[in-house]
Amino acid sequence: MVSLNSRQRDSVFRAVADPTRREILGILRGGRHTVGEIAENFRMSRPAVSKHLRLLRSAGLVATRKDGTASLCSLNAKPLRVIDDWLQDYETFWGDTLHSLKKHMEEK
């Protein structure tokens, strides 16, 4: 059985796996933008950019609100913590492994 945390982590990883979506997150790091403003940064159709934004929204990384006829998008970086949490286990592993290697080399 897949846990909720595992599904959320998979969703976030899937969202950031694509370079276009990572670029969109970088754009939104600078503040709110309309879908049209985001689309101006890419050589693809606006519907294609909207598709990327839908996936980012479903992962919880982008929040959208209406402002008149425009949709304003903003970054929600909180879901990225699941990636950091996942990486912590590997940082611990590599830290322990490198410490063991150092100890081994010093004993020789």
Side-chain angles (χ1 to χ4, degrees), residues 97-108:
T97 301
L98 291 174
H99 178 72
S100 295
L101 176 61
K102 179 183 176 192
K103 185 177 175 184
H104 174 75
M105 296 306 290
E106 288 173 344
E107 291 174 353
K108 282 194 156 197

Side-chain angles (χ1 to χ4, degrees), residues 2-108:
V2 179
S3 70
L4 178 61
N5 190 35
S6 176
R7 274 186 272 166
Q8 181 185 17
R9 184 183 62 229
D10 291 347
S11 175
V12 172
F13 270 109
R14 191 172 20 264
V16 299
D18 183 84
T20 300
R21 291 191 286 272
R22 289 192 304 269
E23 183 67 24
I24 291 170
L25 293 175
I27 291 166
L28 293 175
R29 214 173 36 226
R32 290 187 182 121
H33 292 279
T34 65
V35 175
E37 290 169 340
I38 294 168
E40 290 172 358
N41 293 279
F42 300 97
R43 295 174 68 182
M44 66 178 70
S45 68
R46 188 170 167 166
V49 171
S50 292
K51 189 174 181 180
H52 285 292
L53 285 166
R54 272 194 302 277
L55 200 145
L56 290 167
R57 272 195 308 273
S58 72
L61 292 165
V62 171
T64 306
R65 70 173 178 84
K66 285 288 193 184
D67 185 20
T69 59
S71 292
L72 279 175
C73 301
S74 58
L75 174 66
N76 177 22
K78 285 182 183 179
L80 293 172
R81 287 187 183 147
V82 298
I83 293 174
D84 186 53
D85 293 345
W86 182 81
L87 287 173
Q88 289 298 319
D89 293 336
Y90 291 94
E91 287 180 21
T92 301
F93 168 78
W94 282 110
D96 292 346
T97 301
L98 291 174
H99 178 72
S100 295
L101 176 61
K102 179 183 176 192
K103 185 177 175 184
H104 174 75
M105 296 306 290
E106 288 173 344
E107 291 174 353
K108 282 194 156 197

